Amino acid sequence: MTTRLLFVCLGNICRSPSAENIMNYLLEQRRLQSQITCDSAGTSSYHIGSPPDGRMRAAAQKRGIRLIGSARQFTAADFDQFDLVLAMDNSNYRNILALDPAGKYAHKVKRMCDYCQEYPDREVPDPYYGGADGFDYVIDLLMDACSGLLQELEV
Ligand code: 4NP
């Protein structure tokens, strides 16, 4: 059975498309693309239709990862379409759960940093208003969290 992952941040142009493409990169390396599929979305409508941020793409490219995608907004319909919904920060986590007032899908919603193995961070920091270092940091942090998540999925 295929496990369907949805990575969620605020704008869906920096952190969540990075997580999606990093996970796809790891899945390709391990020949696991048929077992796990990835998508990403934003809790906001700010950047619907936009490609990943150029600064984020540059940081990913330094690690050999190409970021592709087009921003879309997270909706309640996603709860049925995915097995795991991975929030980049606590605000994303709250905004996702707010679309499930009965708590029916709460068991599917996790924080991305729960899977970190090396980094102590509890949230993936929003790099949007900062410098280039912040984008590099997000890539390295997400590499750690994605590989931890893959181990947890035990495929
Ligand atoms: P993301 O980063 O949530 O990682 O995609 C952001 C992108 C855009 C904005 C904030 C964060 N914004 O305020 O437009």
Side-chain angles (χ1 to χ4, degrees):
M1 227 189 55
T2 306
T3 302
R4 302 159 301 176
L5 307 178
L6 181 65
F7 300 97
V8 179
C9 61
L10 175 63
N12 193 209
I13 55 168
C14 296
R15 293 165 293 173
S16 61
S18 297
E20 175 191 356
N21 285 280
I22 287 169
M23 189 56 110
N24 278 330
Y25 172 87
L26 297 178
L27 291 170
E28 270 176 45
Q29 276 187 339
R30 296 165 202 204
R31 306 273 183 270
L32 290 171
Q33 307 101 303
S34 62
Q35 295 179 54
I36 299 174
T37 63
C38 303
D39 191 9
S40 65
T43 57
S44 78
S45 60
Y46 305 156
H47 297 278
I48 290 174
S50 296
D53 187 286
R55 299 165 295 172
M56 198 75 252
R57 280 189 279 132
Q61 196 59 56
K62 288 188 212 166
R63 305 289 189 276
I65 296 166
R66 199 163 78 90
L67 299 188
I68 55 173
S70 169
R72 72 171 180 91
Q73 189 168 17
F74 179 82
T75 73
D78 288 313
F79 287 124
D80 278 323
Q81 299 301 317
F82 294 91
D83 300 301
L84 263 187
V85 177
L86 297 140
M88 296 299 125
D89 64 27
N90 293 334
S91 164
N92 308 148
Y93 183 77
R94 284 191 301 272
N95 287 328
I96 293 163
L97 290 181
L99 292 177
D100 173 33
K104 184 178 169 195
Y105 301 100
H107 63 285
K108 292 188 175 187
V109 186
K110 308 284 182 194
R111 292 175 177 86
M112 192 63 189
C113 283
D114 288 349
Y115 301 97
C116 281
Q117 295 182 311
E118 291 171 16
Y119 283 70
D121 303 62
R122 304 308 304 141
E123 304 183 87
V124 182
D126 181 350
Y128 192 70
Y129 291 107
D133 286 1
F135 292 87
D136 291 337
Y137 190 82
V138 164
I139 295 296
D140 293 338
L141 176 60
L142 287 173
M143 280 280 201
D144 183 31
C146 282
S147 65
L149 173 56
L150 250 186
Q151 280 190 29
E152 184 96 359
L153 293 172
E154 287 184 344
V155 283

